[in-house]
Structures are given as structure tokens and as C-alpha cells.
Amino acid sequence: MKRSREKAASELFAALYPRLAGWCRRLVDDDETAHEIASEAFTRLWARWTAVAEPRGFLYVTAANLVRDHWRRMERERRAVRRATTEEALRPPAEQTDPSVRLLVQSLPERLRVPILLHYYADMPIREVSALTGRKEGTVKADLHAARELLRAHLRRSLDHTL
């Protein structure tokens, strides 16, 4: 029993780790952090191996949560650096006018961010996003639409300020 469990976990790791790590890499823009997140997702899966019905979904949702935590940590660090820099400078630094899509996605409410990450960044079909999040397909579609509209509005505002 233990041998077959280890073999199944090993096969799952071989099949999913490269793609999961690549997905994380696109979100965090750092190889080492991406591998840490993907590895941690697999570690958490292994700890709950017998209780997880859909390992792939569990891995991506767990990785999305870990990416979100990473983004929050990075934002706290940025704010701390900004505060320290502002205290030293006579005038505050100019606002960045080129919005990062990653930062815009990060700023979305969680109910909109998770479907965006799973559908567009993990290439999961709406049906699968629906199953993983426990929401109806129509709700997922509506959330994706709402998220796209928010992102579009943010991008328009940013572009208007640069012209």
C-alpha cells in the first residue's frame, strides 16, 4: 500500500511539477521562488494525500494561495522601502505610470482573482475552475467578465495618465 502511494505521488510529481513551477514562475517572475512555491504545494498535497480527491486542482489552488502570500509579502517590503526612502528624500518618488498586469491582478478581490489565475494563468477550462472553486460555471464566467472589466478600467486610467 505504502509503495503504491509513493509510486502514485512520484508519477504525479513528474507529470505536474514542471508545468506548476512554470505557472508559478510567470506569476512571481523569479525561478527560485517559483520552485519553492511549487514544492510547497506538493508538500501540502503529500500531507493530505488520502483526503484530496483532485490533486491537480489542489496543487493549483494551493500554489495560487502561496503566490498571493508572496505578492503580499513583496508589497509589504515595497511599502517599507518606500517609507524609508521617502523619509530620506525631500520629495516623494514619482508614481509609476506603467501598470504591471501582475500587480493589477493582485489587486483584484479574491473571488475574482482566483478564477483569473486558474483560467488564464493555469489554462484550466471554466468547467474545471467551477469544480475547484465550488461555484457554478455561470458564476465563474460572470466573475471572469467582472475581473476583465476591472482590469480594463485600470489599464485605461493608467494609459490616460500617461498621455
Side-chain angles (χ1 to χ4, degrees):
M1 174 83 176
K2 185 177 179 182
R3 201 78 177 123
S4 64
R5 179 180 169 212
E6 287 178 7
K7 185 174 193 254
S10 177
E11 289 172 357
L12 183 73
F13 183 84
L16 297 181
Y17 183 84
R19 187 168 178 164
L20 181 66
W23 179 70
C24 292
R25 169 67 174 87
R26 288 194 309 273
L27 295 173
V28 299
D29 201 27
D30 177 62
D31 285 334
E32 186 176 334
T33 303
H35 285 286
E36 287 174 11
I37 289 171
S39 296
E40 178 64 20
F42 270 96
T43 300
R44 291 181 184 190
L45 172 64
W46 182 252
R48 294 165 186 78
W49 183 253
T50 57
V52 175
E54 176 50 56
R56 180 175 182 255
F58 179 90
L59 287 168
Y60 276 92
V61 169
T62 300
N65 289 334
L66 292 168
V67 165
R68 182 194 64 229
D69 293 345
H70 170 76
W71 284 346
R72 285 180 179 161
R73 193 168 41 259
M74 296 303 291
E75 183 56 31
R76 282 192 302 269
E77 289 173 12
R78 272 191 222 102
R79 274 184 286 194
V81 167
R82 225 176 317 179
R83 273 194 305 271
T85 304
T86 302
E87 290 170 4
E88 294 174 15
L90 293 174
R91 60 184 178 89
E95 285 293 315
Q96 187 178 13
T97 56
D98 183 23
S100 164
V101 173
R102 182 180 321 129
L103 291 174
L104 291 176
V105 170
Q106 176 187 351
S107 72
L108 290 171
E110 186 170 356
R111 77 174 181 78
L112 301 178
R113 184 177 54 247
V114 170
I116 287 284
L117 291 173
L118 294 175
H119 184 65
Y120 290 108
Y121 287 87
D123 297 325
M124 289 186 183
I126 289 174
R127 176 178 70 285
E128 199 168 337
V129 174
S130 170
L132 290 174
T133 59
R135 299 179 192 152
K136 294 180 179 176
E137 286 186 33
T139 303
V140 171
K141 289 177 184 178
D143 288 346
L144 289 170
H145 174 75
R148 286 190 306 267
E149 289 301 312
L150 280 172
L151 293 172
R152 189 174 292 122
H154 282 293
L155 288 170
R156 276 197 191 115
R157 273 196 304 275
S158 295
L159 290 174
D160 289 345
H161 291 292
T162 60
L163 297 177

